[in-house]
């Protein structure tokens, strides 16, 4: 299964890294981003391992999520590819990222 991390998700990850860099240090920022990428990478062999989102509208559109400690990656499986749309802090209303 091929994983495509879309530009919006890369930007989300960059913002997360920047936050941890400013609040902590480079080592922590890299550790957090590596953990998120590892969680996403596991989808390659287990694309259905993610769970439904808390938003019924997103679920109806086929979105799923994988939780990576304090972060969540929102993705869809389309044919034989996984598309990661957003990466967000689980403490925010990340479903609003899809309603812009």
């Amino acid at each position: 299964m091929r994983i495509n991390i879309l530009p919006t998700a890369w930007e989300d990850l960059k913002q997360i890294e920047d936050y941890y860099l400013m609040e902590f240090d480079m080592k922590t920022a890299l550790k957090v981003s590596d953990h998120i990428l590892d969680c996403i990478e596991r989808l390659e062999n287990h694309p259905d391992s993610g769970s439904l989102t808390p938003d019924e509208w997103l679920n109806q559109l086929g979105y799923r999520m994988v939780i990576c400690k304090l972060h969540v990656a929102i993705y869809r499986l389309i044919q034989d590819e996984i598309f990661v749309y957003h990466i967000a802090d689980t403490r925010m209303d990340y479903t609003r990222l899809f309603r812009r």
Side-chain angles (χ1 to χ4, degrees):
M1 192 78 45
R2 182 169 181 230
I3 296 176
N4 298 291
I5 300 176
L6 299 175
T8 52
W10 282 117
E11 182 60 32
D12 295 339
L13 186 61
K14 173 78 171 97
Q15 289 177 7
I16 291 166
E17 283 181 343
D18 289 348
Y19 169 80
Y20 281 92
L21 179 60
M22 297 296 289
E23 293 295 318
F24 301 99
D25 55 29
M26 179 61 83
K27 182 178 177 182
T28 302
L30 291 175
K31 183 177 177 181
V32 170
S33 63
D34 285 347
H35 175 71
I36 292 169
L37 291 171
D38 287 345
C39 288
I40 292 170
E41 188 176 298
R42 283 189 225 122
L43 292 171
E44 188 173 34
N45 295 320
H46 307 285
D48 294 322
S49 64
S51 59
L52 295 175
T53 73
D55 186 285
E56 189 58 38
W57 178 74
L58 290 177
N59 295 338
Q60 289 174 1
L61 294 174
Y63 289 95
R64 298 181 67 82
M65 67 179 188
V66 61
I67 297 174
C68 315
K69 293 186 181 178
L70 292 178
H71 300 92
V72 61
I74 308 293
Y75 71 97
R76 278 197 313 180
L77 176 61
I78 301 173
Q79 294 176 355
D80 291 337
E81 294 187 67
I82 294 167
F83 293 87
V84 179
Y85 291 83
H86 282 289
I87 301 168
D89 190 309
T90 57
R91 298 167 290 184
M92 69 175 275
D93 180 16
Y94 50 84
T95 60
R96 71 177 169 73
L97 295 170
F98 292 87
R99 298 184 189 263
R100 291 185 194 175

